Amino acid sequence: MNAPTAPTALTAPARHHRHPRLPLQLRPSASWGVPAVLAVLYGGWVMFVAHNQGSTIPTAAVFGVVSAAVVGALCYALGRMTPGLMPEIRAVLYGTVLGCALGFLHSVSGGSVYRASGIGLGAGLVMLGMSFYVFHVWAEHPRE
């Protein structure tokens, strides 16, 4: 019935054409990976807090996505821009971003403007001090 039959003509062996490999290597990179993770976490946190304060789910989702995009873009810009800057300026930039992010998050939770500003300023100053210390210790004692 459907029994295999012998080939009637000699067939050439099938040749597999190899496509040249592109030098594109998909490795996770901290330059976009860390800002993306921070953006997703921050946006989710903003969305959660906004929804708990009485916003509807679509409004809270838009609020979270916009916040995530802004924080992600700022973190990506900081990661790309700061390695060539002086440690003092880097510390100020890191403190500013953290202070603004936490102050905004507290204002979303319903806190007063003064309290949100105070929390943002305090967090920013702590981050400034910590990052200033870390940048100067690494500059004085580089890894071997």
Side-chain angles (χ1 to χ4, degrees):
M1 301 243 198
N2 287 333
T5 59
T8 55
L10 293 175
T11 57
R15 290 188 180 159
H16 298 286
H17 295 286
R18 290 190 165 239
H19 296 285
R21 290 204 167 247
L22 298 176
L24 176 66
Q25 296 177 2
L26 298 177
R27 294 184 187 161
S29 173
S31 68
W32 61 265
V34 171
V37 168
L38 287 175
V40 167
L41 291 174
Y42 187 78
W45 196 1
V46 168
M47 186 173 77
F48 175 75
V49 170
H51 181 62
N52 280 344
Q53 290 300 316
S55 296
T56 62
I57 291 177
T59 305
V62 168
F63 208 45
V65 168
V66 170
S67 299
V70 169
V71 166
L74 285 174
C75 290
Y76 181 77
L78 271 178
R80 287 297 198 178
M81 180 179 69
T82 58
L85 295 177
M86 296 183 338
E88 294 84 10
I89 296 175
R90 287 172 65 188
V92 167
L93 289 174
Y94 278 77
T96 302
V97 168
L98 181 77
C100 290
L102 289 182
F104 174 72
L105 192 61
H106 186 72
S107 73
V108 168
S109 70
S112 70
V113 173
Y114 294 119
R115 186 173 173 109
S117 299
I119 287 175
L121 182 64
L125 288 175
V126 169
M127 182 66 176
L128 184 144
M130 289 173 46
S131 58
F132 181 79
Y133 173 75
V134 168
F135 294 149
H136 274 282
V137 167
W138 282 0
E140 292 174 7
H141 305 290
R143 290 184 179 174
E144 296 175 7

